[in-house]
Amino acid sequence: DQQVKQNSPSLSVQEGRISILNCDYTNSMFDYFLWYKKYPAEGPTFLISISSIKDKNEDGRFTVFLNKSAKHLSLHIVPSQPGDSAVYFCAAISNTDKLIFGTGTRLQVFP
Amino acid sequence: DTAVSQTPKYLVTQMGNDKSIKCEQNLGHDTMYWYKQDSKKFLKIMFSYNNKELIINETVPNRFSPKSPDKAHLNLHINSLELGDSAVYFCASTPGLAREAFFGQGTRLTVV
């Protein structure tokens, strides 16, 4: 049972435009959400997070939005850059302190 | 100055063998983890150790045994390797609760 879902396996965006990556979850006990970025042959690196008491968190070009009623979060990257091309994983934590990951979305930013 | 380092990066071995993957973190973190990324790209937690004590043990075959000699090291030993064990194994660490985990570069295990 996949508790964290990323329904788009891939996304292609032109450089300078906005990239929007989506994530849905089913467990209402999740209280903290994270996005990780992964390049080939490397481990995931933490990008940005949001607590369930907030609906938005911004860090430079990256903004995460959380809609608790819809159990949905999204990562906005603007403007997108070629170096942003990677696989992005959404993850969630409940009081069990286990990171539950989505299956990832491969973002390609083209010139 | 690699924060979380795993060795080896690649491991090819025959079915039935026993192998170990080592992990070390120099961040002073209290909690370390092993994750498995299978062929479908699911990243799933296997084990979690806090100050050398096991705190999370997911439904993992007994052939997998983590060992934490000190809080900076968490090694993974796998007995009687099977084809289905082929995956990428990631070590990670956090300063306390599993929030912003730092991951190693992964060990790609191929069982032939």
Side-chain angles (χ1 to χ4, degrees):
Chain A
D1 179 29
Q2 191 66 11
Q3 298 182 66
V4 179
K5 298 178 186 179
Q6 293 176 256
N7 292 319
S8 298
S10 63
L11 176 67
S12 191
V13 172
Q14 189 172 31
E15 182 178 4
R17 306 292 279 259
I18 185 170
S19 296
I20 300 176
L21 297 101
N22 293 305
C23 178
D24 296 296
Y25 61 95
T26 58
N27 189 343
S28 57
M29 298 301 293
F30 288 143
D31 61 3
Y32 200 78
F33 303 89
L34 308 92
W35 284 94
Y36 281 82
K37 177 179 178 180
K38 185 182 180 305
Y39 292 117
E42 293 184 14
T45 55
F46 169 73
L47 195 56
I48 191 169
S49 62
I50 188 167
S51 165
S52 60
I53 62 173
K54 294 186 174 182
D55 55 18
K56 178 183 173 181
N57 188 25
E58 192 172 349
D59 183 2
R61 296 186 298 114
F62 302 91
T63 304
V64 57
F65 295 91
L66 175 61
N67 182 334
K68 283 176 60 180
S69 60
K71 294 192 178 69
H72 177 85
L73 67 154
S74 61
L75 174 68
H76 291 211
I77 307 172
V78 56
S80 302
Q81 299 173 355
D84 297 328
S85 297
V87 177
Y88 289 79
F89 289 95
C90 169
I93 302 176
S94 67
N95 57 2
T96 60
D97 294 333
K98 288 189 300 186
L99 263 178
I100 308 295
F101 282 88
T103 50
T105 296
R106 181 177 300 278
L107 172 66
Q108 184 179 6
V109 180
F110 60 93
Chain B
D1 280 355
T2 306
V4 181
S5 60
Q6 298 177 227
T7 52
K9 190 166 182 177
Y10 300 97
L11 183 54
V12 181
T13 187
Q14 289 188 321
M15 270 177 28
N17 283 351
D18 303 339
K19 290 292 177 186
S20 291
I21 307 172
K22 295 186 176 181
C23 179
E24 175 181 4
Q25 54 96 2
N26 61 7
L27 298 165
H29 288 170
D30 293 325
T31 310
M32 295 184 73
Y33 309 82
W34 277 108
Y35 283 83
K36 178 180 179 182
Q37 185 178 32
D38 61 22
S39 57
K40 294 182 180 176
K41 306 302 180 187
F42 288 117
L43 252 174
K44 295 181 83 169
I45 190 168
M46 300 173 69
F47 301 102
S48 161
Y49 268 73
N50 181 273
N51 278 320
K52 304 193 298 176
E53 288 192 22
L54 181 66
I55 50 174
I56 294 175
N57 184 351
E58 288 297 284
T59 310
V60 177
N62 291 336
R63 300 181 294 102
F64 289 78
S65 53
K67 296 268 192 311
S68 182
D70 55 62
K71 76 172 195 177
H73 295 84
L74 181 62
N75 304 322
L76 183 64
H77 189 75
I78 316 169
N79 289 328
S80 304
L81 278 154
E82 300 177 358
L83 293 176
D85 297 332
S86 296
V88 182
Y89 293 83
F90 289 98
C91 177
S93 72
T94 59
L97 299 177
R99 303 294 182 180
E100 292 82 5
F102 289 77
F103 283 81
Q105 82 277 22
T107 295
R108 181 175 293 278
L109 171 66
T110 304
V111 183
V112 297

mmCIF file of all heavy atoms in Angstrom, chain B residues 86-112:
data_model
loop_
_atom_site.group_PDB
_atom_site.id
_atom_site.type_symbol
_atom_site.label_atom_id
_atom_site.label_comp_id
_atom_site.label_asym_id
_atom_site.label_seq_id
_atom_site.Cartn_x
_atom_site.Cartn_y
_atom_site.Cartn_z
ATOM 1 N N SER B 86 18.991 -7.917 -5.221
ATOM 2 C CA SER B 86 19.601 -6.920 -6.101
ATOM 3 C C SER B 86 18.828 -5.611 -5.999
ATOM 4 O O SER B 86 17.610 -5.578 -6.198
ATOM 5 C CB SER B 86 19.583 -7.407 -7.556
ATOM 6 O OG SER B 86 20.381 -8.566 -7.700
ATOM 7 N N ALA B 87 19.540 -4.547 -5.660
ATOM 8 C CA ALA B 87 18.906 -3.244 -5.431
ATOM 9 C C ALA B 87 20.021 -2.247 -5.145
ATOM 10 O O ALA B 87 21.198 -2.604 -5.091
ATOM 11 C CB ALA B 87 17.951 -3.313 -4.244
ATOM 12 N N VAL B 88 19.611 -0.997 -4.928
ATOM 13 C CA VAL B 88 20.548 -0.003 -4.432
ATOM 14 C C VAL B 88 20.235 0.222 -2.958
ATOM 15 O O VAL B 88 19.075 0.475 -2.598
ATOM 16 C CB VAL B 88 20.449 1.334 -5.201
ATOM 17 C CG1 VAL B 88 21.490 2.321 -4.667
ATOM 18 C CG2 VAL B 88 20.649 1.100 -6.694
ATOM 19 N N TYR B 89 21.230 0.119 -2.122
ATOM 20 C CA TYR B 89 21.064 0.280 -0.685
ATOM 21 C C TYR B 89 21.672 1.616 -0.261
ATOM 22 O O TYR B 89 22.823 1.911 -0.578
ATOM 23 C CB TYR B 89 21.730 -0.872 0.067
ATOM 24 C CG TYR B 89 21.032 -2.198 -0.185
ATOM 25 C CD1 TYR B 89 21.322 -2.951 -1.313
ATOM 26 C CD2 TYR B 89 20.052 -2.658 0.682
ATOM 27 C CE1 TYR B 89 20.661 -4.146 -1.573
ATOM 28 C CE2 TYR B 89 19.385 -3.858 0.443
ATOM 29 C CZ TYR B 89 19.692 -4.584 -0.699
ATOM 30 O OH TYR B 89 19.024 -5.762 -0.940
ATOM 31 N N PHE B 90 20.862 2.397 0.436
ATOM 32 C CA PHE B 90 21.309 3.710 0.886
ATOM 33 C C PHE B 90 21.388 3.753 2.404
ATOM 34 O O PHE B 90 20.460 3.349 3.095
ATOM 35 C CB PHE B 90 20.342 4.809 0.433
ATOM 36 C CG PHE B 90 20.364 5.095 -1.034
ATOM 37 C CD1 PHE B 90 19.409 4.539 -1.872
ATOM 38 C CD2 PHE B 90 21.332 5.933 -1.574
ATOM 39 C CE1 PHE B 90 19.416 4.803 -3.225
ATOM 40 C CE2 PHE B 90 21.349 6.197 -2.936
ATOM 41 C CZ PHE B 90 20.391 5.629 -3.756
ATOM 42 N N CYS B 91 22.486 4.291 2.880
ATOM 43 C CA CYS B 91 22.630 4.589 4.286
ATOM 44 C C CYS B 91 22.268 6.062 4.481
ATOM 45 O O CYS B 91 22.464 6.887 3.571
ATOM 46 C CB CYS B 91 24.084 4.336 4.684
ATOM 47 S SG CYS B 91 24.486 4.722 6.380
ATOM 48 N N ALA B 92 21.732 6.409 5.638
ATOM 49 C CA ALA B 92 21.385 7.801 5.917
ATOM 50 C C ALA B 92 21.555 8.069 7.400
ATOM 51 O O ALA B 92 21.625 7.135 8.213
ATOM 52 C CB ALA B 92 19.947 8.102 5.482
ATOM 53 N N SER B 93 21.612 9.356 7.750
ATOM 54 C CA SER B 93 21.689 9.707 9.168
ATOM 55 C C SER B 93 20.925 10.991 9.426
ATOM 56 O O SER B 93 20.712 11.801 8.520
ATOM 57 C CB SER B 93 23.158 9.863 9.608
ATOM 58 O OG SER B 93 23.729 11.041 9.081
ATOM 59 N N THR B 94 20.476 11.141 10.666
ATOM 60 C CA THR B 94 19.808 12.369 11.108
ATOM 61 C C THR B 94 20.301 12.699 12.506
ATOM 62 O O THR B 94 20.695 11.811 13.260
ATOM 63 C CB THR B 94 18.276 12.220 11.156
ATOM 64 O OG1 THR B 94 17.939 11.154 12.067
ATOM 65 C CG2 THR B 94 17.693 11.922 9.800
ATOM 66 N N PRO B 95 20.238 13.985 12.877
ATOM 67 C CA PRO B 95 20.690 14.356 14.216
ATOM 68 C C PRO B 95 19.796 13.821 15.321
ATOM 69 O O PRO B 95 20.217 13.644 16.438
ATOM 70 C CB PRO B 95 20.681 15.893 14.194
ATOM 71 C CG PRO B 95 19.829 16.269 13.044
ATOM 72 C CD PRO B 95 19.882 15.149 12.060
ATOM 73 N N GLY B 96 18.559 13.542 15.007
ATOM 74 C CA GLY B 96 17.659 13.011 16.032
ATOM 75 C C GLY B 96 16.500 12.333 15.348
ATOM 76 O O GLY B 96 16.629 11.266 14.784
ATOM 77 N N LEU B 97 15.371 13.035 15.335
ATOM 78 C CA LEU B 97 14.209 12.477 14.665
ATOM 79 C C LEU B 97 14.441 12.439 13.150
ATOM 80 O O LEU B 97 15.218 13.206 12.621
ATOM 81 C CB LEU B 97 12.959 13.310 14.973
ATOM 82 C CG LEU B 97 12.579 13.391 16.444
ATOM 83 C CD1 LEU B 97 11.382 14.293 16.629
ATOM 84 C CD2 LEU B 97 12.312 11.990 16.986
ATOM 85 N N ALA B 98 13.734 11.563 12.465
ATOM 86 C CA ALA B 98 13.945 11.363 11.018
ATOM 87 C C ALA B 98 13.368 12.522 10.226
ATOM 88 O O ALA B 98 12.369 12.375 9.572
ATOM 89 C CB ALA B 98 13.322 10.049 10.579
ATOM 90 N N ARG B 99 13.996 13.657 10.315
ATOM 91 C CA ARG B 99 13.534 14.779 9.519
ATOM 92 C C ARG B 99 14.424 14.903 8.291
ATOM 93 O O ARG B 99 14.344 14.106 7.397
ATOM 94 C CB ARG B 99 13.544 16.062 10.361
ATOM 95 C CG ARG B 99 12.719 15.958 11.626
ATOM 96 C CD ARG B 99 11.236 15.815 11.315
ATOM 97 N NE ARG B 99 10.449 15.770 12.541
ATOM 98 C CZ ARG B 99 9.140 15.649 12.591
ATOM 99 N NH1 ARG B 99 8.450 15.550 11.482
ATOM 100 N NH2 ARG B 99 8.502 15.622 13.741
ATOM 101 N N GLU B 100 15.300 15.856 8.254
ATOM 102 C CA GLU B 100 16.113 16.063 7.060
ATOM 103 C C GLU B 100 17.305 15.117 7.074
ATOM 104 O O GLU B 100 18.373 15.449 7.575
ATOM 105 C CB GLU B 100 16.595 17.521 6.981
ATOM 106 C CG GLU B 100 15.493 18.535 6.729
ATOM 107 C CD GLU B 100 14.741 18.928 7.992
ATOM 108 O OE1 GLU B 100 15.134 18.492 9.084
ATOM 109 O OE2 GLU B 100 13.769 19.686 7.882
ATOM 110 N N ALA B 101 17.074 13.930 6.547
ATOM 111 C CA ALA B 101 18.116 12.905 6.559
ATOM 112 C C ALA B 101 19.184 13.191 5.511
ATOM 113 O O ALA B 101 18.897 13.708 4.429
ATOM 114 C CB ALA B 101 17.488 11.532 6.302
ATOM 115 N N PHE B 102 20.420 12.838 5.863
ATOM 116 C CA PHE B 102 21.538 12.943 4.941
ATOM 117 C C PHE B 102 21.837 11.536 4.434
ATOM 118 O O PHE B 102 22.019 10.615 5.232
ATOM 119 C CB PHE B 102 22.775 13.505 5.661
ATOM 120 C CG PHE B 102 22.659 14.957 6.010
ATOM 121 C CD1 PHE B 102 21.889 15.363 7.087
ATOM 122 C CD2 PHE B 102 23.323 15.924 5.274
ATOM 123 C CE1 PHE B 102 21.770 16.707 7.424
ATOM 124 C CE2 PHE B 102 23.222 17.261 5.604
ATOM 125 C CZ PHE B 102 22.442 17.654 6.673
ATOM 126 N N PHE B 103 21.906 11.391 3.116
ATOM 127 C CA PHE B 103 22.087 10.075 2.516
ATOM 128 C C PHE B 103 23.502 9.880 1.992
ATOM 129 O O PHE B 103 24.157 10.828 1.540
ATOM 130 C CB PHE B 103 21.116 9.885 1.354
ATOM 131 C CG PHE B 103 19.706 9.575 1.790
ATOM 132 C CD1 PHE B 103 18.854 10.587 2.186
ATOM 133 C CD2 PHE B 103 19.242 8.269 1.802
ATOM 134 C CE1 PHE B 103 17.553 10.309 2.598
ATOM 135 C CE2 PHE B 103 17.949 7.975 2.207
ATOM 136 C CZ PHE B 103 17.106 8.997 2.608
ATOM 137 N N GLY B 104 23.936 8.633 2.025
ATOM 138 C CA GLY B 104 25.156 8.250 1.335
ATOM 139 C C GLY B 104 24.883 8.124 -0.156
ATOM 140 O O GLY B 104 23.745 8.294 -0.609
ATOM 141 N N GLN B 105 25.921 7.795 -0.918
ATOM 142 C CA GLN B 105 25.781 7.771 -2.378
ATOM 143 C C GLN B 105 25.166 6.476 -2.881
ATOM 144 O O GLN B 105 24.847 6.347 -4.056
ATOM 145 C CB GLN B 105 27.143 7.999 -3.061
ATOM 146 C CG GLN B 105 28.031 6.765 -3.169
ATOM 147 C CD GLN B 105 28.832 6.492 -1.914
ATOM 148 O OE1 GLN B 105 28.491 6.935 -0.814
ATOM 149 N NE2 GLN B 105 29.908 5.748 -2.061
ATOM 150 N N GLY B 106 24.960 5.523 -1.981
ATOM 151 C CA GLY B 106 24.312 4.273 -2.386
ATOM 152 C C GLY B 106 25.303 3.184 -2.734
ATOM 153 O O GLY B 106 26.433 3.454 -3.151
ATOM 154 N N THR B 107 24.880 1.947 -2.538
ATOM 155 C CA THR B 107 25.644 0.769 -2.950
ATOM 156 C C THR B 107 24.742 -0.051 -3.873
ATOM 157 O O THR B 107 23.674 -0.495 -3.455
ATOM 158 C CB THR B 107 26.042 -0.092 -1.732
ATOM 159 O OG1 THR B 107 26.927 0.647 -0.903
ATOM 160 C CG2 THR B 107 26.720 -1.391 -2.191
ATOM 161 N N ARG B 108 25.187 -0.188 -5.104
ATOM 162 C CA ARG B 108 24.399 -0.990 -6.057
ATOM 163 C C ARG B 108 24.824 -2.448 -5.927
ATOM 164 O O ARG B 108 25.941 -2.807 -6.283
ATOM 165 C CB ARG B 108 24.587 -0.487 -7.478
ATOM 166 C CG ARG B 108 23.758 -1.288 -8.495
ATOM 167 C CD ARG B 108 23.842 -0.706 -9.893
ATOM 168 N NE ARG B 108 23.197 0.597 -9.976
ATOM 169 C CZ ARG B 108 21.898 0.795 -10.127
ATOM 170 N NH1 ARG B 108 21.083 -0.245 -10.226
ATOM 171 N NH2 ARG B 108 21.414 2.007 -10.222
ATOM 172 N N LEU B 109 23.943 -3.248 -5.395
ATOM 173 C CA LEU B 109 24.206 -4.673 -5.217
ATOM 174 C C LEU B 109 23.541 -5.455 -6.339
ATOM 175 O O LEU B 109 22.346 -5.304 -6.584
ATOM 176 C CB LEU B 109 23.656 -5.147 -3.865
ATOM 177 C CG LEU B 109 23.656 -6.658 -3.613
ATOM 178 C CD1 LEU B 109 25.078 -7.195 -3.535
ATOM 179 C CD2 LEU B 109 22.900 -6.996 -2.330
ATOM 180 N N THR B 110 24.334 -6.256 -7.014
ATOM 181 C CA THR B 110 23.815 -7.122 -8.072
ATOM 182 C C THR B 110 24.140 -8.563 -7.703
ATOM 183 O O THR B 110 25.314 -8.916 -7.533
ATOM 184 C CB THR B 110 24.444 -6.783 -9.435
ATOM 185 O OG1 THR B 110 24.227 -5.400 -9.716
ATOM 186 C CG2 THR B 110 23.831 -7.626 -10.543
ATOM 187 N N VAL B 111 23.111 -9.366 -7.603
ATOM 188 C CA VAL B 111 23.291 -10.787 -7.285
ATOM 189 C C VAL B 111 23.044 -11.581 -8.555
ATOM 190 O O VAL B 111 21.996 -11.444 -9.198
ATOM 191 C CB VAL B 111 22.319 -11.232 -6.175
ATOM 192 C CG1 VAL B 111 22.564 -12.694 -5.816
ATOM 193 C CG2 VAL B 111 22.475 -10.351 -4.946
ATOM 194 N N VAL B 112 24.039 -12.387 -8.922
ATOM 195 C CA VAL B 112 23.936 -13.151 -10.179
ATOM 196 C C VAL B 112 23.906 -14.659 -9.907
ATOM 197 O O VAL B 112 24.264 -15.098 -8.819
ATOM 198 C CB VAL B 112 25.100 -12.806 -11.129
ATOM 199 C CG1 VAL B 112 25.040 -11.348 -11.515
ATOM 200 C CG2 VAL B 112 26.445 -13.136 -10.488
#
